[in-house]
Amino acid sequence: AVVSTQSTGSQGWIDGALPDELKGAVIELKAYFDESFGSYIRVDYGTGHEINFLAFCCCLFKIGYFSPSDYIPTVFFLFREYLVLMRKIQMWYRLEPAGSHGVWGLDDYQFLPFIFGSAQFLGNPIISPEQFVHPEIVAKYCEDYMFLECIKFINEVKTGPFAEHSNQLWSISGVATWTKVNGGLIKMYKAEVLAKHPVIQHFVFGSLLSFNPR
């Protein structure tokens, strides 16, 4: 119901937020935004929905509504607020994970915050990859680092040893540097999300994000 209600009102507020010279982008922006919050028909949510919110943000940059100075705030404020909202929706409506690989997947619902979050650690001398599985590190730094905030949420909703319910993440803790973690996650995202037909089959293309490479 929340997704259906949001969809019917999104065009109005997107149109209202854009200056007149950018209003031609409303139809495409609405398409990505409306697909960002899960399916009210299947009552599920996953990386296929998450990528639509990324596309929504990318389009705001492409039309010039956001500028390069907005890169960091877009990830660590706007996208983070989206994550917080989606976690509440996941819990409240008990959304099924869309296309989850279970224990062998990175996470039941999200992928991008692990890429953004690992990038936040690049050059960080305080926390090494092996430390993110330590509860005391998560508790101390989760409000400052997106990656640790994700781990905190996983620990809240799953039970049992971390190595068992989140085996892929546990494996990442054995990687030597955050540079290698970040690079590996980007490769994994391309292979497990962008290249997977069941995930990407509903993604729409238009003038802002074209199917044809340029």
Side-chain angles (χ1 to χ4, degrees):
V2 66
V3 177
S4 179
T5 302
Q6 159 286 115
S7 178
T8 59
S10 61
Q11 181 164 339
W13 73 256
I14 293 174
D15 184 85
L18 296 178
D20 290 342
E21 64 270 21
L22 299 180
K23 290 187 185 297
V26 169
I27 293 177
E28 291 182 57
L29 287 169
K30 171 180 166 56
Y32 294 124
F33 184 83
D34 289 351
E35 288 297 317
S36 300
F37 300 93
S39 170
Y40 69 92
I41 296 175
R42 298 185 302 273
V43 195
D44 66 5
Y45 171 82
T47 51
H49 302 105
E50 178 190 58
I51 196 175
N52 275 276
F53 192 78
L54 177 66
F56 173 74
C57 294
C58 287
C59 286
L60 290 175
F61 281 99
K62 292 204 71 172
I63 64 176
Y65 186 80
F66 286 163
S67 68
S69 64
D70 295 314
Y71 287 155
I72 293 177
T74 298
V75 172
F76 295 109
F77 178 74
L78 180 59
F79 188 80
R80 181 183 175 277
E81 288 299 308
Y82 165 73
L83 290 178
V84 171
L85 173 61
M86 286 314 307
R87 286 168 184 152
K88 292 179 179 178
I89 293 176
Q90 289 163 32
M91 299 300 292
W92 183 263
Y93 291 97
R94 300 182 181 276
L95 299 183
E96 289 291 324
S100 171
H101 293 290
V103 68
W104 302 112
L106 187 67
D107 180 73
D108 286 341
Y109 297 102
Q110 268 100 26
F111 199 118
L112 290 172
F114 295 98
I115 295 178
F116 297 147
S118 59
Q120 192 181 11
F121 279 130
L122 297 181
N124 187 306
I126 301 175
I127 302 170
S128 63
E130 67 178 357
Q131 292 179 296
F132 78 77
V133 295
H134 298 167
E136 64 275 12
I137 294 294
V138 174
K140 185 176 181 178
Y141 294 106
C142 64
E143 294 184 4
D144 299 320
Y145 296 100
M146 182 178 285
F147 197 101
L148 297 182
E149 190 175 29
C150 292
I151 301 300
K152 176 178 180 288
F153 181 70
I154 290 173
N155 287 335
E156 289 174 346
V157 299
K158 293 189 175 183
T159 58
F162 189 87
E164 293 183 7
H165 64 62
S166 300
N167 184 264
Q168 286 281 5
L169 285 170
W170 176 264
S171 298
I172 289 174
S173 70
V175 178
T177 67
W178 285 111
T179 300
K180 290 184 178 180
V181 170
N182 184 251
L185 287 174
I186 292 173
K187 290 180 182 178
M188 187 177 177
Y189 188 75
K190 291 177 180 178
E192 298 299 326
V193 178
L194 298 182
K196 293 296 185 182
H197 180 262
V199 176
I200 210 69
Q201 63 181 325
H202 301 298
F203 190 83
V204 297
F205 296 92
S207 63
L208 296 177
L209 298 178
S210 173
F211 182 77
N212 299 314
R214 296 177 181 176

